[in-house]
Amino acid sequence: MRDAPIRILLVEDNPVHQRMIRGLLEESRRPRYEVDVVDRLSSGLDRFRAGAVDLVLLDLILPDSEGIETFLRFFSLARSTPIVVLTSLDDSGTAARAVEAGAQDYLLKARMDSSVLMRSIRYALERTRARSMEWSSPAFRLAHQQFLKAAQLMDLDDNVRQRLVFPARAQLVSLPFRRDRYDVVETVFGYRVQHILTMGPTKGGVRYHPEVGLGEVAALAMWMTWKCGLMRLPFGGAKGGIRIDPSELSRSELQRVTRRYTAEIVDMIGPDRDIPAPDMGTDEQVMAWMMDTYSQQHGHAVPAVVTGKPIELGGSPGRKEATGRGLVYLIREAARHIGLPLQGATVAIQGFGNVGSNAAHFVQQLGARVVAVSDVSTGLYAPDGLDLGDLRHHTELHRVLRGYPRAERISNEELLEIDCDILIPAALENQITAENAERLRCKMVAEGANGPTSLEADQILAERDIFVLPDVLGNAGGVTVSYFEWVQGMQNWIWTLEEVNRRLEQVLVDAFNRSMARAERDNIDLRAAALIEGIERVTGAMLSRGLFP
Ligand code: GLU
């Protein structure tokens, strides 16, 4: 998981300012900063050439260069790295020219305090990303590669292929919300992407995470399309998100940002248009606020505009646990397929959010032993098995796993490489790569996360005979019960938990069997087979509808 420090190069010759800025940055724990200080332009350029700089803080008056010239010389070398110019009151004209010429921001040293400095850095990094890197995220590249591979294996018509590579609609909004400190207003980026409008309304979660970007949301929307197609749900894929760290916000701040985001995308969503749901960093409460904001604008309650709501608002029994429960139904099928007895099997889980913690619970009910779990704060390892009740109690009290005393501490990287039978990545994308796939020591990778495994890693795992239960199958329990919730909402009819679980199991096992049969028949891997099942459903529908006009 990403918790890397932000690497700052500070080019400043005044020792008092050097100390002040370094002090402000090094005080921060989240995000963390690594600061390199040099006092001349020439040494700054040398240091920059040596690499590993995320952002430059640049004083324009240096012993070996002065004024706009300092900026231009740096900028010609560091075009894609954000530069924040440091100025004193009397040279703010030069700073303005620097911003015009391409600097991301400027800061008056006399007015600098920690929050002004952090915010300027954060915004400068965000703007750089928004300008140049939005679509080209690793997740989007992976979603593309997977799709193109499947398209090639199924010999998909080229016109259709081109149509499906990019989402049909993408909305990017920048939205303000008030912090609890009344005079502070933050402006953040929000997204909603709808991949394909052919199948009915679109469906997919809303993610709050500091790494959210257009490319990632688009990749996740695309995966939702294949997932819904594979499960034969009458939805296209969508995804949304806000680039924000929800753990840094108070409950009232979370409510305000959620309401404003909902208002910004209100024309895109609706029970017949696009139905949001929880994803990483969001939960039932966030869905309740979204539902309320939408309903306020329509003058009556519209519970079916979101799924994953609290039960008393029309949420479905079993929705909250559905992704973890569904993953374990499929682990059971896959284990049967490869002849792995679950009684006594060992399990390691990366991510202890809604998916990871529920998967832990249900897999243990089948007799397996959870020996390792992790979250952003730490990993935990106990070869004889972790006490899940005790762990949950700890996370309820402390929010994260850090500080749990009755297990050995390990890193997230170590967790992936632990000797176990089943490894469940249930956190972010891009965790199992060509770099570490060789070192995995499990018999099965069961993907609770979206996009945790790169294509190169897939290849290595296949050669090493490690069974991969792909994400579009593995985590589809969530959207499947979301579908049940939506159906119940449209009909004002409430099902029992038993009925929900029985139908969930039926849908997932059927999709597993179809994908497995295709994989064996066509001699392809299960991911490709599952994707093709989903893609075929969607392209079949596209071709029957024909092209407008
Ligand atoms: N966010 C979940 C997913 O990635 C669930 C989406 C939904 O329920 O609509 O599948």
Side-chain angles (χ1 to χ4, degrees), residues 203-205 224 227 239 277-279 307 319 450 475 478-479 482:
K203 185 85 195 78
M224 285 306 300
K227 212 186 303 187
K239 204 74 164 202
D279 195 83
T307 59
R319 170 62 186 89
N450 290 305
N475 67 33
V479 70
S482 273

